[in-house]
Amino acid sequence: MRQMIDFDCCGDRLVGTLDGADGTTGLLIVSGGNEIRSGAYAGQAALAQHFAALGYPVFRYDRRGVGDSEGLNSGFETSADDIASAVSAFRTEAPHMKRVVALGNCDAATALAFFHEGIDSLILANPWVIETVTSEADTPTPPTAAAVRARYLARFKNPRSLIDLFTGKIDIKKLVAGLAKAAQREAPSRLAARLAFSLAASVVPTQIAVAERDTTALAFMGAYRNAVFDPVRARAGVRLAKCDSASHSFADAAARAWLYEQIEQALKAA
């Protein structure tokens, strides 16, 4: 049974949706970016319905300043109180529930790595590690070296690209500059280093799920291979799984089925 839930977060009224079920393990969905709780093309609503039908109660919500919720939207790095309030509301509305597994995609995954008090298990999809460039001119965030390498590898696998190169359709100067960027060894961003520290210090079982051709996932994997993540890779409670997809939200049928499988594994193991 699906019902709307109002709950408090630091004096602001937040709105969530509970898909009720009798199971003692529940799924908390934390939205990424400024996405509302239904998700892109209602993908999170469909996910909630699917797992509730399997017997897992599911709760999703709009953080402060997003969707139906009151307050100021200050971004994922200040969402600790939103997550804690959502966990409390979920446990209140489903008092039979003993364990909470939390799922977040993109910056919601990173937020959950930072703030997961009261949560028993984490599913972090395509964690966000890219430092956002902001200026008066709204300069876009440049692509990471990992993303550039992946793009050139895909192009070089295409015979058409070689034909374009030999016939002069590819700008040699741009190609050289791109290859130089791809060859760079980047130091992990402040955000990546903070993520690594949080995951290494945590005792919560953590499943990292990436769509390996997604730009955000490529940036994460570039950082994940750095030495700063050595303690994370050595943690017995961390598992990394990769899906052959470029879909950031696992929107295609194969990627969606893969993500559902990862979620179900985490729920059963909690």
Side-chain angles (χ1 to χ4, degrees):
M1 180 178 178
R2 177 168 290 179
Q3 56 182 309
M4 301 277 284
I5 304 296
D6 289 358
F7 60 101
D8 177 78
C9 177
C10 302
D12 292 315
R13 183 183 66 89
L14 271 57
V15 179
T17 302
L18 173 67
D19 284 65
D22 294 332
T24 56
T25 297
L27 177 65
L28 173 71
I29 302 176
V30 179
S31 298
N34 298 316
E35 191 170 71
I36 61 176
R37 64 188 185 278
S38 60
Y41 304 103
Q44 290 178 179
L47 189 153
Q49 183 178 30
H50 173 85
F51 283 99
L54 295 180
Y56 301 101
V58 184
F59 189 69
R60 50 200 164 88
Y61 67 98
D62 294 333
R63 77 162 183 250
R64 283 174 291 181
V66 174
D68 295 322
S69 293
E70 298 175 345
L72 179 65
N73 179 9
S74 299
F76 75 97
E77 290 189 79
T78 61
S79 62
D81 290 329
D82 304 73
I83 294 171
S85 296
V87 172
S88 178
F90 192 11
R91 289 189 180 276
T92 297
E93 296 297 330
H96 61 286
M97 190 174 59
K98 297 179 180 178
R99 295 168 296 279
V100 173
V101 176
L103 164 69
N105 186 33
C106 195
D107 62 24
T110 305
L112 281 171
F114 295 162
F115 318 120
H116 52 264
E117 186 175 355
I119 294 171
D120 301 288
S121 181
L122 298 174
I123 307 167
L124 310 181
N126 301 323
W128 179 261
V129 297
I130 303 170
E131 295 288 354
T132 303
V133 176
T134 57
S135 71
E136 293 181 1
D138 292 326
T139 304
T141 303
T144 64
V148 174
R149 282 194 293 272
R151 186 171 67 217
Y152 275 102
L153 179 61
R155 290 190 66 182
F156 288 146
K157 286 181 178 179
N158 184 354
R160 182 68 200 177
S161 295
L162 296 177
I163 295 173
D164 290 344
L165 176 64
F166 291 125
T167 56
K169 292 182 180 180
I170 293 179
D171 188 314
I172 297 298
K173 289 184 178 180
K174 288 184 179 180
L175 175 61
V176 172
L179 291 173
K181 170 72 175 178
Q184 291 177 4
R185 291 186 61 85
E186 296 175 310
S189 66
R190 174 198 63 85
L191 195 57
R194 185 182 171 194
L195 176 63
F197 177 81
S198 297
L199 290 176
S202 175
V203 296
V204 174
T206 301
Q207 163 81 330
I208 302 174
V210 297
E212 57 186 351
R213 290 184 284 114
D214 166 59
T215 301
T216 299
L218 286 166
F220 168 75
M221 289 306 301
Y224 191 73
R225 286 187 283 267
N226 190 281
V228 73
F229 275 90
D230 283 350
V232 180
R233 292 194 299 271
R235 253 194 68 197
V238 175
R239 188 170 79 89
L240 174 69
K242 302 176 186 178
C243 174
D244 182 18
S245 174
S247 176
H248 181 66
S249 58
F250 303 90
D252 61 275
R256 184 168 58 251
W258 180 86
L259 179 64
Y260 279 26
E261 181 181 353
Q262 305 308 306
I263 296 170
E264 188 167 2
Q265 288 178 8
L267 289 166
K268 287 180 176 179

